[in-house]
Amino acid sequence: MDIVVKGRKTEVPERFRKHVAEKLKLDKIQKLDAKVISLDVEVSKEPNPRQADRSDRVEITLRSRGPVIRAEAAASDPYAALDLASEKLEARLRKEHDKRHTRRGVRRLTAAEVPDHVPGAATLNGNGIVVSEEETDGVPTKKIGSLEVKGEGPLIVREKTHVASPMSLDQALYEMELVGHDFYLFVDAETKQPSVVYRRHAYDYGVIHLSTDQMVTQTQAAAAGGVVGG
């Protein structure tokens, strides 16, 4: 694996390229992540003189069979920015490395065990059927599709609300891996949209974002206004 150094709207001196190779030691990186595919370093320069103390920016992107790891930093010169970015990269690599080793030997939870580890989760009986909290009164509850029916009815739809702090996509992937699930529901810190990350094939991941249909929202608002006005 080679280190690719490129400049964005700026020239990268050969001296700096050699310094990058010396600073980012591949053998050390591969000890932390043996599945590294590529390592890219991008250098850019801010022309605004008011930002002279942060004029040079270095972004390091490491791609492997797992999540992409990025680290970037800005300083008054590219060498200082590289030092800061490489420190961030190593810290994130160590975090991922420790996370993988911590997960070893930790088995995934069965559906029946989830309530013991996840607050507010539904409880399942031995047949994998959701056990309602209202069953304590002796009235049987049965599962029909995605709905619960207590006794002969009426239908009871279970609804739970969880408090969630907005987070980045990388953090959501980390939390999903931490709990050992195949999906994780979160609020995207950048878009503020409800989102879900999920495991696809091998080390691939997918993400689904939910956004409001503006036309439907406007139609509903207009209809509500018409009722009030009438």
Side-chain angles (χ1 to χ4, degrees):
M1 181 190 69
D2 295 325
I3 301 176
V4 178
V5 183
K6 57 185 178 181
R8 184 172 61 187
K9 297 181 180 180
T10 185
E11 292 292 331
V12 181
E14 187 61 30
R15 177 187 172 192
F16 183 78
R17 294 178 185 273
K18 292 180 179 179
H19 182 72
V20 170
E22 295 172 357
K23 187 69 179 179
L24 302 177
K25 300 184 183 299
L26 292 180
D27 55 344
K28 187 175 182 180
I29 291 175
Q30 289 174 328
K31 283 182 180 179
L32 295 173
D33 189 344
K35 299 177 181 179
V36 177
I37 298 174
S38 65
L39 186 62
D40 298 331
V41 177
E42 184 177 88
V43 184
S44 59
K45 193 170 186 67
E46 172 57 55
N48 189 344
R50 294 183 179 180
Q51 299 185 23
D53 58 335
R54 297 173 57 83
S55 59
D56 291 276
R57 177 175 294 276
V58 172
E59 179 179 316
I60 306 173
T61 303
L62 185 147
R63 292 180 174 82
S64 68
R65 296 180 186 176
V68 174
I69 298 177
R70 286 190 176 88
E72 60 179 312
S76 57
D77 66 80
Y79 294 91
L82 176 65
D83 289 344
L84 294 173
S86 61
E87 289 175 4
K88 291 181 181 180
L89 178 71
E90 183 175 346
R92 291 172 184 173
L93 276 172
R94 289 191 180 281
K95 182 179 179 180
E96 289 295 321
H97 179 268
D98 294 342
K99 181 182 67 176
R100 288 194 298 270
H101 281 265
T102 300
R103 276 206 316 273
R104 288 181 181 177
V106 179
R107 64 183 181 85
R108 291 193 175 188
L109 301 177
T110 64
E113 294 173 321
V114 170
D116 297 331
H117 299 268
V118 182
T123 303
L124 304 181
N125 62 19
N127 297 321
I129 300 175
V130 175
V131 178
S132 172
E133 296 172 358
E134 292 78 20
E135 282 193 24
T136 54
D137 59 7
V139 180
T141 301
K142 57 185 177 180
K143 187 82 170 177
I144 300 179
S146 60
L147 303 176
E148 289 181 359
V149 179
K150 184 176 180 180
E152 298 301 320
L155 295 177
I156 300 175
V157 180
R158 293 176 62 87
E159 183 175 323
K160 290 184 179 292
T161 302
H162 297 276
V163 178
S165 299
M167 64 179 65
S168 65
L169 177 58
D170 287 345
Q171 181 65 25
L173 287 170
Y174 174 77
E175 295 293 338
M176 181 183 73
E177 292 290 347
L178 192 63
V179 298
H181 293 171
D182 290 329
F183 69 94
Y184 190 84
L185 176 65
F186 70 105
V187 177
D188 191 297
E190 183 176 348
T191 64
K192 302 300 185 292
Q193 294 175 335
S195 306
V196 172
V197 290
Y198 61 96
R199 193 188 313 278
R200 296 184 71 248
H201 308 291
Y203 291 92
D204 291 340
Y205 300 92
V207 59
I208 299 173
H209 300 288
L210 293 182
S211 61
T212 304
D213 189 323
Q214 296 299 324
M215 292 187 64
V216 173
T217 302
Q218 292 171 3
T219 301
Q220 292 175 340
V227 171
V228 174

